[in-house]
Amino acid sequence: MEMNLIKKQQGIFIKPCLDWTEQTFHLGGNLGKAFFRHCEEKNYLILNKENRSVCLTNAGEIFFAALMSS
């Protein structure tokens, strides 16, 4: 992800966003959108368009485990 391009986009760069279903915060703003797109492009997750839930793929589980351990 190219941070300088994301920072130059119109709108909010980064913000906490409350998930009403889970009652937890997640990454919002342009950075959150870019990170989500990156994860989709790398096939780390699959979006269920009917209910907006996501499922991690095997590659996603490996990616996020490595991310959390670093």
Side-chain angles (χ1 to χ4, degrees), residues 54-67:
V54 294
C55 292
L56 283 180
T57 64
N58 289 338
E61 288 185 29
I62 293 167
F63 170 75
F64 282 101
L67 183 66

Side-chain angles (χ1 to χ4, degrees), residues 36 40 45-56:
F36 183 82
E40 276 190 308
L45 53 82
I46 299 169
L47 174 65
N48 181 336
K49 294 184 181 187
E50 291 179 20
N51 62 16
R52 299 181 62 204
S53 65
V54 294
C55 292
L56 283 180

Side-chain angles (χ1 to χ4, degrees), residues 18-25:
L18 179 62
D19 181 312
W20 288 99
T21 304
E22 298 293 325
Q23 291 297 298
T24 59
F25 285 95

